[in-house]
Structure formats: C-alpha cells, structure tokens
Amino acid sequence: MNICIVLKFKSRAKIIFKLIEWLIKKDCNIELVVAKSLIKKLKIKPNLKPIIKVSTYIDKEYDFSAYKKYISKKQTKGVIFINDTFSTYGKSYILLNKILNQGIVASKLKSNLPIMIGLSTVSNYHNIYRDSDIIGTNLFFLNRDGIKCFKSILNSNKIFCVLNAVNEFENTYYKPKYNKDKIKNQNLIYETILNNNIKNKGTLIYIGRGLVEKLSINIERYYNYGIFLFIEKIKKIII
C-alpha cells in the first residue's frame, strides 16, 4: 500500500517516525512530505533513510498543498493519506489498521468508481451540503479513481470561485469552526467537496459507525491524546 504522510511540526516528528516504523512492518511504500521550513531542522532516523522517500512542500494550503504535490507525480491503485495530527488527537492504530486492510481490498477491485475510506465525522459545512456525515482528510484512503477525482478538485480553477462564494455565504449566515482562518476555512471546503463528489460518483466507506468499533477507536484516541497533553505539560515545566 502507498502511504503519503505529511509532517509540518517538528514536535510531532518522533511519533510520526514510530508510525513509519509500524507501516514498514506492513510492507507499505511510504513517502514523507515535509514542510519546506522544517526540512533543515528535521533529523530522520538512519534506519529509515534508505527505506522511505522524503520530499518537501510549500505550506500554502496546509495538508492539501502536500497532498496535491504527492498525487501530481503518482500513478497508483490506491493511497492512504495521513497528516501529523496522528501524533496528537488523531492517533489510533485500530483505525489505521482498518483503513489499511479495507484499502488493500479496494485497490484490487476492478471498478471505475471512486472510493474513499476513513473515519465517519461531522462536516463544519453541513448546513450548506445538507449532509453532516463526511470522512475527515487527516487520515483517509482513495483508490485510483478517487485520486483522479481529488486531482480534478485540487487543479480546478473553478474551485476558487466556490471557495470565495462559500466563504462569503458563511461569513454572512453561518460561522464555521475556523472563521478567523481563511486557509483552514478553504481546507474544510475542499474536504466537503471531495466527500460530496465521491459520494455522487462512487462510494464512501465509513469506519467507526458501529458502536463497538466507534468506542474502541475513540478510547484509543483519547487515551493517546491524554498522554500527549501530559508530556507537553511536563516539557513546559522542565523548559
């Protein structure tokens, strides 16, 4: 399985490297896409250097800038995209393993339909699209036709007209989660449009909708996030 991991913050590198080591054991083909401002400060483990590919991106559109760079040069049957929030509130190996296993199956399907797999979450723009259930873009899988759909969205000039129109509408009638950050607003719209397009043309496969599955994923995530916050507090006290 092809994996695209986006790393923007140095503080998250240690856990991301542990994630990479876990993925290597799963025979994954990994590319680490690092923010250009971080690459000179980043020390990659010697044992990982010969195994993973490292590239850089200019952080204009947060994760989507890195995703765009990755898929622009790839011809593949499927990719799992992971951003570095996996090291904070998004850390769940249960979830990742489920996406990995289902992604492998979806990659082998002889279908021309786009497929997206990931955790069921709530869109900040559900009032516009009238559909609150979406798949978050911090950890998700796309098959070959899903990647084509993603490329067309990221490369379309029309998307900026949509972004401006929606931003204007939101600022007037509905305050989104990241109202003060235009780029984060745009990313939320990219996320929703990607979900909307794939749902209309193909299939969204939600992880974490069942009660037991949802509980196991959330317990793991909250436990890991609690440890992360505790370590961060200790660092502040020591420093």
Side-chain angles (χ1 to χ4, degrees):
M1 174 62 67
N2 291 300
I3 310 284
C4 169
I5 301 176
V6 179
L7 179 60
K8 182 182 177 184
F9 299 102
K10 188 180 178 181
S11 60
R12 298 175 180 179
K14 187 176 180 180
I15 295 174
I16 292 300
F17 288 147
K18 285 183 180 178
L19 166 65
I20 290 170
E21 288 171 343
W22 184 86
L23 288 166
I24 287 169
K25 292 175 184 176
K26 300 283 184 179
D27 295 322
C28 295
N29 181 24
I30 304 157
E31 181 167 338
L32 181 64
V33 190
V34 183
K36 205 165 186 179
S37 57
L38 175 61
I39 192 67
K40 290 182 180 179
K41 306 172 190 174
L42 190 66
K43 292 182 180 179
I44 297 170
K45 290 184 176 182
N47 63 313
L48 297 179
K49 281 185 178 180
I51 302 171
I52 65 169
K53 184 177 180 182
V54 179
S55 59
T56 60
Y57 74 101
I58 299 172
D59 189 16
K60 288 183 178 178
E61 297 164 358
Y62 287 77
D63 306 327
F64 286 90
S65 182
Y67 294 160
K68 183 177 181 178
K69 183 167 184 178
Y70 177 84
I71 62 177
S72 66
K73 55 187 179 182
K74 290 285 181 182
Q75 295 292 330
T76 177
K77 292 181 179 179
V79 177
I80 292 176
F81 299 88
I82 307 171
N83 72 18
D84 59 9
T85 57
F86 187 89
S87 66
T88 56
Y89 63 83
K91 187 178 179 183
S92 171
Y93 284 98
I94 296 172
L95 172 61
L96 178 55
N97 204 45
K98 287 180 179 291
I99 294 174
L100 181 60
N101 291 336
Q102 292 198 29
I104 290 169
V105 174
S107 297
K108 293 177 181 178
L109 294 175
K110 293 181 179 179
S111 169
N112 293 324
L113 296 176
I115 298 172
M116 184 176 183
I117 303 171
L119 183 68
S120 174
T121 186
V122 177
S123 171
N124 286 277
Y125 288 90
H126 63 276
N127 284 356
I128 292 174
Y129 292 98
R130 301 184 184 278
D131 187 0
S132 59
D133 285 339
I134 65 165
I135 291 171
T137 50
N138 59 327
L139 172 55
F140 67 106
F141 165 86
L142 290 176
N143 71 339
R144 180 190 59 198
D145 290 281
I147 293 167
K148 288 179 182 177
C149 185
F150 198 17
K151 277 184 180 179
S152 68
I153 293 169
L154 292 174
N155 293 329
S156 174
N157 291 326
K158 292 179 181 179
I159 193 73
F160 295 105
C161 297
V162 174
L163 292 172
N164 290 333
V166 174
N167 273 330
E168 185 178 346
F169 178 88
E170 292 293 348
N171 288 332
T172 306
Y173 299 105
Y174 171 69
K175 301 300 182 185
K177 185 178 179 181
Y178 298 113
N179 179 253
K180 294 180 180 179
D181 192 324
K182 187 177 179 181
I183 296 177
K184 284 186 178 180
N185 273 357
Q186 290 181 356
N187 283 342
L188 290 169
I189 299 168
Y190 273 123
E191 179 178 82
T192 309
I193 290 173
L194 174 63
N195 274 265
N196 196 48
N197 283 9
I198 290 183
K199 186 174 182 178
N200 289 337
K201 297 176 183 178
T203 304
L204 295 175
I205 301 176
Y206 298 102
I207 306 290
R209 274 191 160 180
L211 180 61
V212 175
E213 188 177 60
K214 191 172 185 177
L215 276 173
S216 62
I217 290 169
N218 283 331
I219 287 170
E220 185 189 18
R221 289 174 73 187
Y222 292 135
Y223 173 76
N224 288 327
Y225 191 40
I227 292 174
F228 169 79
L229 290 175
F230 176 75
I231 292 170
E232 289 300 303
K233 285 182 179 179
I234 294 296
K235 282 180 181 177
K236 287 179 181 179
I237 293 169
I238 295 170
I239 296 169

